[in-house]
Structure formats: structure tokens, C-alpha cells
């Protein structure tokens, strides 16, 4: 009975050993496969001597040295790790800390090709022996892409600097152009004004006509210079708005009064319809004046003599909307979309030969958009046109 | 003591000076002396010496610009009325002009009538309508 049980135990132990060996075999095979098939280079070193114990095929291929030439050598004996001193230092560090890592290590392959690798080493115990496993990943391609990206970044930076310089040059050019154009125009306009008004003595009819032509032309040229500057500034985002709560009705009244002086010649009157009490809007007074002036002077320009221009201001939710309605020719529907683009030509003619720079509405739209406002138009040929401008109301402090 | 009223024009551009002179020379009928200077330093020296009631001062001048001249005139004689004339009708310049403590700001191109009208008002002259509208 005792014999039997001893045999049974021995048999069981034997079974366990066989099973363990089989399991070990499976494990060994599994890890060997991983080692053999890994798409990273793996190097196993003896932690004490620094001798290479094993090299996986991927590393053999990466470095180009036959496996036999690698195994048994010390790390720094291999051409790839040519910097003996650095390799020794790294190895010493690895021995003391059990871990080293290089983000990017330059190596030379057997064929003399320079590659970059990411190098990570760990020390661990196998059969009471310290071994070092080095994982080596070829990052040459990644490195090259990084370098290309860096090069592109530098190129972009340089390009950006060049553009900034060009932009500054353009601004300088514009400011010089304004000054240099405005000065002689001031002289032309000023003297034609003095002559036209007879300040320097009376002129005959032909002289008056001639001087009037000079005066009107210089005035138009000045407006063109101003408008060009405005549009250049707006498109380059150089407009700084000085936003403050403003009474749109009061501003409109002032602008209407000024434009009614011009409208008088065509017997046109701009009227502001009575409105409820309105909250202040948030706007830049100077810029808004420009917008209102443009809308009102346009209305006069395209209105028939002896017609009326009606202005209404009303609250519309979080905005206040101003509408300028004329009884002019109206704009064909097909031309409405391009109305706010610079130098857009429409078939609509001014009713008294007034000239346009073609920039007024483009500037107006940009100014309104900068204010987070909105501008739109409704028109019917033969009936007239209404321009709408809405601006955000000022929030109570 | 000389009590004659004086207006000083400071501009480096000769045609602008001529335009201003011809615009303002009508003031001489009212006993106003119209003076002119061709640059900042001369203008400043003249303003300090002659103490005009009113100065029309160009902003963009080489050397000493209008802002600096204005500041120095105001520091010495705050009662001298200074109108800055500039080619840059931008609000930034306007702020700068105000910081330089100018009393007023007129952008080029200006209407000669506006210049004349402002001068007559600041000098407190009684100008007849006939004078303002010779043809009317």
C-alpha cells in the first residue's frame, strides 16, 4: 500500500516536471519567436562583462553585421558603437541604474551608412545572472521627417518674416503716398476753391467753369486716395475700432443735416422718421459717421431730383437697425450680390452725373462687419432701394 | 506795447504756406499780422518771440515735428491757440495731437473758408458776410 502510494507520488511529480518542461518549452518558443520576429532590434548583453549574448535578426539586418561577428563581442568593439568612450559611460550608467534611454543615438552601419536609433536598455535577472536587454529602434526615417518639418518650419518663418517686412513696406508706402498725394492735392483744391469763390477777384464765366472742373476733380481724387487707404487698411486688418455706447439717432440726425445741404441742389430731402426711445449701440463714432455719410450720400446720388429719402431707426432684438429708403432707379437683382465688392460696376447711374470711387459700399460693409453688425439691401427696379444696417446694442455696464 | 494781433503759419511746404497766406491775408484788413515759418525750430522760435494769438501748425515736418513744436509752445504760453494741420486724417493721430495739447485739429485738404472762418472766430473779428462770400 505504501509502495503503491510512493510510486503514485513519484509518478505525479514526474508528470508535473514534464508538464512544467513543456510549459517552459512553450514559453521559450513564444519568446524566441517574439525575439526573432520583432520589428525592433534587440540586443542581449552580459551585464557584468558587457559581452553580447544574443542579437535578433532585425538588428543584424539593421546594422548589416553578420550575427557571428556580433555575438561574444563587447558592445564597444562593434563598429556601430564606435564611440567607445560614450558606450562605456552608457554601459557603466546602465550597470549602476539598471536603465538607460537615448531618444536619438547616431549609429554607423557596417556599410558605413549613418542611421539614427532610439535606444532603451534594462537590466534584469535570468538564472541568477544579470543580463541587459537593449531595444533598438531605427528612427532614421522619422528623424528625417522631423528634420524636413524643421526645415519647413524655418522656411515658413523666413517667409513670414519676409511677408511681414513687405507688409510694413506697403504700410510705409501707403502712408508716404497719402502724405505725398494729399499735400499737392491740398494746394490744387485750396487754390481752386479760393479762385472759384472769387476771393482773389472775380472770374469770367469760362474761368469759373474751368476752376470748377479743377475743384471737382481734385475733390474726387482726394476721395479716391482716402477710400483706397481705407480699403487697404481694412483688408489688412489694421482698423482699430474705438467702441463706445452711442446714440444712433443723434449721429444720424447730424449726418442727415450735413447731407441735406448737398441734397438741396437736387431738391431732395432726407427725413428721419420718429422712433421710439432706443438703447445706445456699440460703435466707433468716427467710423460710423463714415458709414452713415456713405449711405446718405449714395441715396442722394441715386435719387431723382425732387424725390424723398426716408430714414428709419428701430430696435430689432439685440440690435438697432437703420434703414435708408430712396425712390431711385432700383438695382437689378442680379447685381445685388456684387454691390459690396470693391470697384463693382452696376448698371445703375447717378442721377446728376456724380462720380463714385467704387469703394464706398465695400468700405461700409467691412466697417459694419468689424462692428459685429450686418448690412443688407432690398431693391426693386423702378421703385427704389433700401439699405439696412444693424448694429449691436451696448450692454448695460 | 504792441497790441497788434498775430497769426503764425508753420509749414515746410511752400505752396501750402502760399495757400494759407493767401487765405489769411484778408485778415490784414482787420489789422492782423500774418507771419510764416518754414520749419519746426523757426516756427517755435517765432511763436515764443512774437507770441501770436493763433498758430496753424503742420504736423509732418522734418526735424522738429508739429507735435513737439505744439508741446513746447503750450508749455511756454498755454494761451496761444494751436491748430494742427495734418495729412493723416486718422483717429490715432488725432489722439496724439490731443496729447500734444493742441486746441484743434484740421486735416489736409482743408477748405480755405474753414481756415479763414476759424481764424476770424478765434481772433474775435467781426467779419461781414460780404467778405465771406465775395460773389454772393
Amino acid at each position: 500500500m505504501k509502495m503503491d502510494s510512493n510510486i503514485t507520488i513519484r509518478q505525479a511529480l514526474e508528470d508535473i516536471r514534464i508538464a512544467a518542461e513543456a510549459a517552459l518549452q512553450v514559453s521559450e518558443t513564444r519568446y524566441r519567436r517574439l525575439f526573432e520576429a520583432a520589428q525592433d532590434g534587440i540586443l542581449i548583453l552580459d551585464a557584468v562583462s558587457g559581452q553580447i549574448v544574443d542579437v535578433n535578426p532585425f538588428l543584424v539586418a539593421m546594422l548589416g553585421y553578420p550575427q557571428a561577428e556580433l555575438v561574444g563581442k563587447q558592445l564597444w568593439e562593434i563598429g556601430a558603437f564606435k564611440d567607445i568612450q560614450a558606450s562605456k559611460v552608457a554601459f557603466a550608467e546602465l550597470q549602476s541604474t539598471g536603465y538607460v534611454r537615448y531618444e536619438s543615438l547616431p549609429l554607423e552601419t557596417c556599410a558605413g551608412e549613418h542611421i539614427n536609433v532610439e535606444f532603451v536598455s534594462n537590466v534584469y535577472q535570468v538564472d541568477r545572472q544579470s543580463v541587459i536587454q537593449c531595444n533598438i529602434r531605427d528612427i532614421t526615417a522619422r528623424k528625417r521627417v522631423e528634420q524636413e518639418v524643421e526645415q519647413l518650419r524655418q522656411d515658413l518663418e523666413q517667409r513670414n518674416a519676409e511677408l511681414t517686412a513687405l507688409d510694413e513696406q506697403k504700410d510705409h508706402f501707403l502712408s508716404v503716398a497719402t502724405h505725398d498725394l494729399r499735400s499737392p492735392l491740398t494746394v490744387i483744391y485750396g487754390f481752386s476753391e479760393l479762385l472759384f469763390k472769387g476771393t482773389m477777384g472775380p472770374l469770367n464765366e469760362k474761368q469759373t467753369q474751368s476752376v470748377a472742373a479743377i475743384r471737382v476733380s481734385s475733390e474726387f481724387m482726394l476721395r479716391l486716395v482716402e477710400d483706397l487707404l481705407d480699403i487697404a487698411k481694412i483688408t489688412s486688418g489694421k482698423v482699430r475700432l474705438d467702441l463706445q455706447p452711442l446714440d444712433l439717432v443723434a449721429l444720424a440726425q447730424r449726418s442727415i443735416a450735413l447731407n441735406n445741404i448737398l441734397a438741396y441742389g437736387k431738391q431732395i430731402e432726407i427725413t428721419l422718421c420718429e422712433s421710439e426711445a432706443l438703447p445706445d449701440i456699440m460703435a466707433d463714432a468716427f467710423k460710423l459717421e463714415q458709414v452713415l455719410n456713405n449711405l446718405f450720400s449714395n441715396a442722394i446720388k441715386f435719387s431723382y431730383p425732387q424725390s424723398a429719402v426716408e430714414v428709419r431707426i428701430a430696435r430689432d432684438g439685440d440690435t438697432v437697425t437703420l434703414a435708408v429708403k430712396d425712390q431711385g432707379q432700383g438695382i437689378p437683382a442680379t447685381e445685388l450680390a456684387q454691390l459690396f465688392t470693391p470697384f463693382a460696376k452696376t448698371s445703375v447711374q447717378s442721377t446728376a452725373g456724380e462720380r463714385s470711387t467704387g469703394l464706398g459700399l465695400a468700405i461700409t460693409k467691412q466697417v459694419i462687419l468689424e462692428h459685429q453688425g450686418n448690412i443688407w439691401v432690398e431693391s426693386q427696379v423702378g421703385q427704389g432701394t433700401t439699405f439696412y444696417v444693424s448694429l449691436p446694442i451696448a450692454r448695460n455696464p | 506795447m504792441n497790441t497788434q494781433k498775430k497769426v503764425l503759419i508753420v509749414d515746410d511746404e511752400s505752396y501750402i504756406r502760399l495757400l494759407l497766406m493767401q487765405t489769411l491775408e484778408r485778415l490784414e484788413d482787420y489789422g492782423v499780422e500774418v507771419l510764416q515759418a518754414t520749419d519746426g525750430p523757426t516756427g517755435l522760435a517765432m511763436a515764443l518771440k512774437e507770441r501770436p494769438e493763433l498758430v496753424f501748425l503742420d504736423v509732418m515736418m522734418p526735424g522738429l515735428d508739429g507735435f513737439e513744436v505744439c508741446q513746447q509752445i503750450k508749455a511756454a504760453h498755454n494761451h496761444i491757440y494751436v491748430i494742427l494741420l495734418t495729412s493723416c486724417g486718422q483717429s490715432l493721430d488725432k489722439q496724439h495731437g490731443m496729447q500734444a495739447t493742441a486746441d484743434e485739429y484740421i486735416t489736409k485738404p482743408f477748405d480755405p473758408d474753414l481756415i479763414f472762418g476759424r481764424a476770424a472766430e478765434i481772433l474775435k473779428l467781426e467779419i461781414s458776410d460780404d467778405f465771406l462770400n465775395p460773389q454772393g
Side-chain angles (χ1 to χ4, degrees):
Chain A
M1 185 66 197
K2 196 162 187 190
M3 268 293 252
D4 281 355
S5 63
N6 273 350
I7 288 166
T8 313
I9 289 168
R10 201 172 296 149
Q11 187 59 50
L13 281 173
E14 182 61 15
D15 287 351
I16 289 168
R17 192 188 60 78
I18 290 167
E21 263 182 10
L24 197 64
Q25 191 61 44
V26 167
S27 172
E28 166 72 16
T29 307
R30 183 182 297 149
Y31 285 101
R32 178 48 57 180
R33 276 205 192 126
L34 276 177
F35 183 78
E36 301 283 344
Q39 291 299 299
D40 280 332
I42 302 171
L43 197 63
I44 308 290
L45 306 179
D46 183 298
V48 182
S49 65
Q51 271 183 338
I52 295 169
V53 179
D54 207 350
V55 188
N56 77 338
F58 195 83
L59 187 63
V60 169
M62 192 195 297
L63 297 179
Y65 289 96
Q67 191 179 26
E69 213 174 287
L70 295 171
V71 175
K73 294 245 172 77
Q74 284 183 307
L75 188 61
W76 45 89
E77 286 180 88
I78 302 165
F81 297 88
K82 259 181 183 154
D83 193 342
I84 294 169
Q85 202 50 44
S87 294
K88 278 186 170 171
V89 169
F91 186 70
E93 191 191 334
L94 182 58
Q95 280 177 315
S96 66
T97 64
Y99 178 79
V100 285
R101 177 190 166 91
Y102 296 96
E103 292 276 351
S104 172
L105 191 69
L107 287 187
E108 199 178 317
T109 64
C110 184
E113 193 189 338
H114 292 271
I115 61 170
N116 275 86
V117 298
E118 186 184 337
F119 187 99
V120 184
S121 302
N122 288 291
V123 179
Y124 57 96
Q125 302 288 321
V126 176
D127 293 342
R128 293 191 201 124
Q129 271 193 320
S130 282
V131 295
I132 297 171
Q133 181 181 326
C134 309
N135 284 54
I136 300 167
R137 175 170 295 177
D138 188 352
I139 57 163
T140 310
R142 191 183 89 198
K143 206 73 193 159
R144 195 164 50 227
V145 169
E146 276 172 10
Q147 273 168 4
E148 280 169 11
V149 166
E150 174 59 19
Q151 186 60 46
L152 278 174
R153 197 192 58 77
Q154 282 177 12
D155 289 353
L156 267 178
E157 213 166 68
Q158 197 192 338
R159 189 92 190 96
N160 196 26
E162 283 169 12
L163 283 173
T164 307
L166 270 175
D167 195 44
E168 276 164 16
Q169 239 176 56
K170 186 202 73 189
D171 284 350
H172 180 68
F173 168 79
L174 275 173
S175 89
V176 169
T178 357
H179 181 258
D180 288 3
L181 282 169
R182 245 192 264 216
S183 272
L185 278 169
T186 301
V187 175
I188 297 168
Y189 173 75
F191 277 116
S192 64
E193 190 79 5
L194 281 179
L195 285 167
F196 183 76
K197 288 190 173 157
T199 313
M200 299 165 164
L203 303 181
N204 67 31
E205 200 181 328
K206 276 190 175 173
Q207 287 166 335
T208 306
Q209 274 176 0
S210 312
V211 170
I214 296 173
R215 183 165 156 260
V216 169
S217 300
S218 62
E219 226 172 353
F220 179 74
M221 215 168 143
L222 278 164
R223 216 168 58 235
L224 195 57
V225 169
E226 311 278 329
D227 281 2
L228 280 170
L229 267 172
D230 264 352
I231 203 92
K233 243 187 246 147
I234 287 168
T235 49
S236 65
K238 290 233 158 53
V239 176
R240 267 167 294 181
L241 296 178
D242 180 14
L243 293 178
Q244 48 185 313
L246 295 172
D247 178 359
L248 183 58
V249 174
L251 274 171
Q253 274 168 343
R254 206 166 57 215
S255 185
I256 288 170
L258 281 170
N259 278 282
N260 266 331
I261 298 171
L262 301 171
Y264 184 75
K266 289 171 87 170
Q267 289 178 278
I268 294 168
E269 197 182 355
I270 310 176
T271 50
L272 178 61
C273 302
E274 284 291 321
S275 61
E276 43 172 339
L278 292 168
D280 281 349
I281 49 150
M282 260 333 239
D284 179 311
F286 181 76
K287 290 280 159 201
L288 194 58
E289 226 176 281
Q290 200 182 2
V291 165
L292 294 175
N293 192 46
N294 185 269
L295 293 175
F296 298 148
S297 62
N298 268 353
I300 299 167
K301 208 181 282 179
F302 298 102
S303 280
Y304 297 112
Q306 293 174 306
S307 65
V309 174
E310 212 176 79
V311 180
R312 283 177 194 278
I313 304 176
R315 183 168 181 167
D316 185 7
D318 286 342
T319 61
V320 171
T321 301
L322 172 136
V324 186
K325 184 180 180 198
D326 68 40
Q327 301 170 332
Q329 312 144 72
I331 307 158
T334 49
E335 295 177 6
L336 286 176
Q338 60 184 25
L339 209 56
F340 297 102
T341 53
F343 302 111
K345 295 270 181 235
T346 65
S347 59
V348 187
Q349 299 290 318
S350 63
T351 53
E354 299 103 321
R355 296 170 74 182
S356 295
T357 62
L359 291 166
L361 280 176
I363 293 169
T364 297
K365 180 175 181 178
Q366 287 306 320
V367 170
I368 292 297
L369 292 184
E370 295 274 336
H371 278 86
Q372 315 297 326
N374 210 347
I375 184 166
W376 67 101
V377 61
E378 286 169 6
S379 192
Q380 263 198 311
V381 175
Q383 304 256 314
T385 304
T386 308
F387 279 92
Y388 297 89
V389 163
S390 72
L391 288 158
I393 62 172
R395 271 184 240 124
N396 286 326
Chain B
M1 186 182 163
N2 185 4
T3 56
Q4 191 184 18
K5 288 182 175 172
K6 291 170 187 164
V7 175
L8 172 63
I9 293 164
V10 187
D11 200 310
D12 60 321
E13 285 173 70
S14 63
Y15 287 136
I16 302 271
R17 279 202 312 279
L18 183 66
L19 176 64
L20 285 166
M21 284 301 286
Q22 297 208 358
T23 300
L24 294 172
E25 71 182 1
R26 290 175 285 162
L27 293 173
E28 287 171 359
D29 297 346
Y30 293 83
V32 178
E33 188 181 357
V34 185
L35 306 163
Q36 54 174 317
T38 58
D39 57 42
T42 317
L44 178 61
M46 221 180 236
L48 298 181
K49 180 167 171 280
E50 303 284 343
R51 301 198 197 173
E53 273 70 22
L54 171 62
V55 181
F56 286 101
L57 183 59
D58 181 34
V59 172
M60 287 252 265
M61 288 185 293
L64 204 57
D65 71 20
F67 293 130
E68 291 170 80
V69 174
C70 176
Q71 240 155 6
Q72 295 196 36
I73 290 176
K74 282 292 187 181
H77 303 290
N78 192 42
H79 66 277
I80 296 180
Y81 200 97
V82 179
I83 298 180
L84 287 177
L85 299 174
T86 178
S87 315
C88 332
Q90 302 313 317
S91 47
L92 260 188
D93 289 296
K94 207 157 198 162
Q95 283 164 20
H96 193 171
M98 291 310 160
Q99 275 166 17
T101 64
D103 296 283
E104 230 177 285
Y105 192 93
I106 293 178
T107 50
K108 289 177 185 174
F110 44 77
D111 183 342
D113 278 352
L114 175 69
I115 297 283
F116 183 79
R118 290 304 297 138
E121 209 176 320
I122 291 154
L123 299 176
K124 299 187 179 70
L125 306 177
E126 298 282 336
I127 309 278
S128 69
D129 280 355
D130 287 357
F131 205 101
L132 283 173
N133 302 303
Q135 281 188 334

